[in-house]
Amino acid sequence: MINIPSGKGTKLRMFVFLSVLISIFFYSTTKAQVIPIETDSSAMVLFVTKNKEVRLRYFGQKLNDVKEYEQFTGQLHQASDPSGVADAVYSSAGSRNFFEPAISVIHADGNTSLALRYVSSDVKRISADIEETQLLLKDPVYDFNVKLVFRAYRKDNVVEQWSEITQNENGAVRLNKFASANLYWYGSSFWLKQYHGDWAREMQPEVTKLSHGIKTLDTKLGTRADLFQPPVFIISADHKPMEDQGEVMLGSIEWSGNYRVDLEVDNRNNLRIIAGMNNASSSYELQPGKTFRTPRFLYTLSQQGTGQASRNLQSWARKYRILDGEGGRLTLLNNWESTYFDFNEEKLKNLLGDTKKLGVDLFLLDDGWFANKYPRNDDHAGLGDWQPNRKKLPNGIQAVVKDADKKGVKFGIWIEPEMVNPKSELYEKHPDWVIKQPDRPEYYFRNQLVLDLSNPKVQDFVFGIVDSLFIKNPSLAYIKWDCNSVIYNAYSAHLNHQSELYIAYVRGLYKVLERIRAKYPQVPMMLCSGGGGRVDYAALKYFTEFWPSDNTDPLERVFMQWEYSYFYPAISMAAHVTNWGRQPIKYKVDVAMMGKLGFDIPVSKLKPEELSFCQQAVQQYNKVKDVIWHGDQYRLISPWNHDFASLMYVDRKKDKAVIFSYLVSNRYDAGSELPVKFKGLNPDQRYKIEEVNLYNGAKSSINDKKDNTYSGSFLMKAGFNPVVNSRRASVVLVATAVN
């Protein structure tokens, strides 16, 4: 017999007691069907209750025995959940749920409630490494289904999740929210690392403790969607994210438009993560018999900190997502900072000679080569008119491409096919192709507007821009695809439902890119958007690399590339040597070598010793680029709280490593006072340490040592000092295994 004391507060205590008792009874008497979604080290475990509700009741490190997941719930002694659906696998609005929903609808009859019940599940083995779990849910009252798809990449410990929404009601259903994923993470405290920025200030990190309520990460820009906030984030349990320890999750939306991530700490201190397209101004009318497929949400969960999580994601990206992620890349010379808009055929042919002299693979012709009625001599005119400018290029692009072929240099070209200047023939002929409100004044971002890619005619036009370039120039070897404007005054002359524009635009973009890749599957393309304003893993299916920022000051790039590297591998990051920054040419080249190396400098104006160094650096880069592009990355010393930064790349066999170190402080006597502890090496292997990329005639005390070999154990436990200081502001080391 249980005695409950009477007096003040008795009813409240009785209510709490009964709630806990009911919760204990429910968990102890309900035998649930268990659906584990596992990688080699992590698990998301779904439970199907007797009343066919699906709950997410375990999210964490993989257990050895599947049966033990059921025992986890019995170890919880948190507050009760009066709704009973806080941990729903895909929470719906309008019924019992009073937390943020993953899905919200208005049925054909006007009802706003939705309750999803388990129907079936299926597990498919896609490959030896990939397993896909499909979960079908249905409303018991309405003919409305949601299929949840979980794709687990076991070795890389990455999971993708998305939803497929289908209805067969007597009329259209309005989708007001349609998330890709709805995670539930048990814990006591969670920390968020998010990113913000603007042009030339991309990937600025902020770390905060998540408080009760909702923290939303989102964008509403339409295109160039990542300009202020990218779709990537890090969450850690119990303490701030750390590099080599602690439980952390790296997450991102695979979508090149408006996204939304809701992070809600509930009354039990657990974290609800709801991620997908942004539903702001984007309700969607779903017709009977049709399916609405959401973009993929991806995450990797690590118990060894952000370092291991990022290596998981980088490995996955190279193998499964980035176009030719395990292949090679082209080093290049870009003409932008040499000429800007002021060039002609003769200047370009001279630059082709500089490309050959420098020793890189490709010459990239940037903005300004097109338009005649409104010539592209600045950014106020010409976008949309993709005919070579007759004054600058009287013999067309073909003449320059042919000269590049003769010189043994590959040729690439810049385009911005999604945009239009009001001062263009395209705008005059097809104003209905432009996204703009018919009754409101036009408002420009960088003097341009966005073409309506929801319109199939516009899709054909954009595809034709690329196709025509390749048809006329079969040896064209590279495309730089830019996107500089956001969407103002959103309105499509093509669509009946204006709230669907943001979604239809991105889908139209993907249709164009799919056509390009179907016809030109291997041509390298850079994803550019005034910097990293658009990079995500849906876009990188079609692109070999992305442009992290127009800010190429090498000191700034040390910080930016450090943060980008948590989510994207070095092979995908274009890094150019430019005139930005006051650092010496060696510092600039060393920083650019951490990604896909390029140059955007007037080669003819380099001093002889600078040119000689750049030529030798290109040769050195070609010796180590495979390790940088395809190796495992380890962050050693963070630039955010030290006088210098240090990181390294190690090949998969652990035979070779490349270590970069940079001075990031100009304070007196700043530098590497203590040795840097390496990571990722074979402790039983001996390595020879050599400094490379030395400036002309410079000597290295590291290379002068008689015995310059060390065990991997020594290098990782005791460390090695790269000797970074004001006289040696950037140092590149190569560690090579020796017998």
Side-chain angles (χ1 to χ4, degrees), residues 621-678:
Y621 182 71
N622 288 334
K623 295 177 183 178
V624 298
K625 62 186 180 184
D626 281 343
V627 180
I628 298 168
W629 291 348
H630 304 122
D632 290 327
Q633 184 193 51
Y634 295 87
R635 296 171 205 83
L636 309 178
I637 302 293
S638 171
W640 295 102
N641 46 24
H642 295 86
D643 289 337
F644 73 105
S646 189
L647 55 82
M648 65 188 292
Y649 302 87
V650 184
D651 71 0
R652 292 302 177 92
K653 294 182 179 179
K654 302 183 183 295
D655 289 336
K656 197 168 190 176
V658 185
I659 303 95
F660 294 94
S661 299
Y662 308 99
L663 188 70
V664 296
S665 169
N666 61 1
R667 298 191 67 186
Y668 177 74
D669 212 21
S672 57
E673 296 180 348
L674 299 173
V676 176
K677 294 179 181 179
F678 291 0

Side-chain angles (χ1 to χ4, degrees), residues 195-256:
Y195 296 89
H196 69 94
D198 201 339
W199 180 80
R201 297 195 297 272
E202 290 85 354
M203 291 300 285
Q204 302 299 307
E206 287 183 346
V207 178
T208 55
K209 184 178 181 181
L210 288 170
S211 58
H212 290 83
I214 300 177
K215 168 76 173 182
T216 297
L217 311 177
D218 77 337
T219 182
K220 302 180 181 71
L221 303 177
T223 56
R224 200 179 177 181
D226 305 358
L227 178 61
F228 301 139
Q229 188 162 324
V232 294
F233 60 92
I234 299 173
I235 295 174
S236 61
D238 300 326
H239 48 68
K240 294 180 180 180
M242 294 189 291
E243 187 70 21
D244 297 309
Q245 57 183 304
E247 189 171 43
V248 299
M249 185 189 84
L250 272 59
S252 184
I253 309 292
E254 298 180 50
W255 181 245
S256 304

Side-chain angles (χ1 to χ4, degrees), residues 146-420:
V146 175
K147 181 188 289 183
L148 300 180
V149 185
F150 307 84
R151 182 169 290 185
Y153 301 80
R154 302 184 73 92
K155 292 180 182 177
D156 293 309
N157 296 301
V158 170
V159 175
E160 291 181 301
Q161 180 180 345
W162 66 95
S163 59
E164 298 175 3
I165 304 167
T166 306
Q167 68 95 0
N168 290 290
E169 300 181 23
N170 295 322
V173 171
R174 176 64 58 180
L175 305 181
N176 287 326
K177 191 172 184 182
F178 26 80
S180 300
N182 184 171
L183 306 184
Y184 196 74
W185 193 348
Y186 290 90
S188 58
S189 61
F190 298 92
W191 295 78
L192 168 69
K193 184 175 184 179
Q194 66 181 95
Y195 296 89
H196 69 94
D198 201 339
W199 180 80
R201 297 195 297 272
E202 290 85 354
M203 291 300 285
Q204 302 299 307
E206 287 183 346
V207 178
T208 55
K209 184 178 181 181
L210 288 170
S211 58
H212 290 83
I214 300 177
K215 168 76 173 182
T216 297
L217 311 177
D218 77 337
T219 182
K220 302 180 181 71
L221 303 177
T223 56
R224 200 179 177 181
D226 305 358
L227 178 61
F228 301 139
Q229 188 162 324
V232 294
F233 60 92
I234 299 173
I235 295 174
S236 61
D238 300 326
H239 48 68
K240 294 180 180 180
M242 294 189 291
E243 187 70 21
D244 297 309
Q245 57 183 304
E247 189 171 43
V248 299
M249 185 189 84
L250 272 59
S252 184
I253 309 292
E254 298 180 50
W255 181 245
S256 304
N258 295 345
Y259 70 87
R260 172 174 171 175
V261 180
D262 293 314
L263 305 168
E264 182 174 23
V265 178
D266 68 13
N267 63 304
R268 297 192 292 178
N269 302 319
N270 301 325
L271 178 63
R272 306 176 73 249
I273 305 170
I274 299 175
M277 296 174 180
N278 199 333
N279 58 316
S281 303
S282 294
S283 64
Y284 194 92
E285 188 171 279
L286 185 62
Q287 297 296 328
K290 299 296 184 180
T291 297
F292 182 91
R293 182 176 288 106
T294 68
R296 300 182 183 193
F297 171 73
L298 70 87
Y299 74 86
T300 180
L301 189 66
S302 164
Q303 282 73 43
Q304 290 84 44
T306 54
Q308 185 57 54
S310 68
R311 287 186 289 278
N312 292 343
L313 197 50
Q314 289 181 11
S315 175
W316 170 84
R318 288 190 296 263
K319 287 189 284 190
Y320 298 111
R321 190 55 76 245
I322 298 172
L323 186 67
D324 196 24
E326 295 188 299
R329 294 294 186 269
L330 298 171
T331 54
L332 60 83
L333 174 65
N334 194 358
N335 73 300
W336 181 244
E337 290 198 11
S338 297
T339 66
Y340 296 100
F341 292 100
D342 182 18
F343 58 83
N344 54 33
E345 186 175 308
E346 182 181 356
K347 282 186 179 181
L348 295 183
K349 289 184 176 180
N350 289 334
L351 289 172
L352 291 172
D354 289 342
T355 307
K356 186 70 174 178
K357 184 189 301 183
L358 189 60
V360 294
D361 303 314
L362 177 137
F363 171 74
L364 173 60
L365 173 59
D366 214 290
D367 195 357
W369 58 268
F370 51 92
N372 289 289
K373 182 178 180 180
Y374 303 104
R376 182 71 168 175
N377 295 320
D378 55 38
D379 65 2
H380 288 76
L383 274 181
D385 302 341
W386 297 100
Q387 306 81 32
N389 180 271
R390 289 186 291 271
K391 185 176 181 180
K392 296 178 182 179
L393 302 170
N395 300 302
I397 295 292
Q398 295 96 315
V400 187
V401 176
K402 287 179 180 178
D403 194 63
D405 292 340
K406 289 179 183 178
K407 289 182 168 68
V409 172
K410 296 181 183 296
F411 186 88
I413 198 165
W414 177 97
I415 56 174
E416 192 174 5
E418 301 166 68
M419 307 298 162
V420 61

Side-chain angles (χ1 to χ4, degrees), residues 12 49 87 156 214 354 359 398 419 465 613 620 658 703:
L12 176 61
T49 66
D87 56 357
D156 293 309
I214 300 177
D354 289 342
Q398 295 96 315
M419 307 298 162
I465 295 168
F613 168 75
Q620 179 61 50
V658 185
N703 295 347

Side-chain angles (χ1 to χ4, degrees), residues 198 219-228 258 416 418-420 434-436 443-451 483-490 502 505 529 533-534:
D198 201 339
T219 182
K220 302 180 181 71
L221 303 177
T223 56
R224 200 179 177 181
D226 305 358
L227 178 61
F228 301 139
N258 295 345
E416 192 174 5
E418 301 166 68
M419 307 298 162
V420 61
V434 180
I435 294 176
K436 59 174 184 172
Y443 191 77
Y444 307 129
F445 194 104
R446 200 177 170 182
N447 308 303
Q448 61 195 46
L449 296 166
V450 181
L451 292 176
C483 169
N484 283 301
S485 186
V486 300
I487 293 178
Y488 290 121
N489 293 323
Y502 289 118
Y505 182 92
S529 188
R534 199 186 216 171

Side-chain angles (χ1 to χ4, degrees), residues 322 329 537 540 544-548 568-574 596:
I322 298 172
R329 294 294 186 269
Y537 276 119
L540 285 174
T544 49
E545 58 222 60
F546 73 95
W547 185 237
Y568 304 104
I571 193 171
S572 68
M573 279 191 270
K596 200 227 73 171

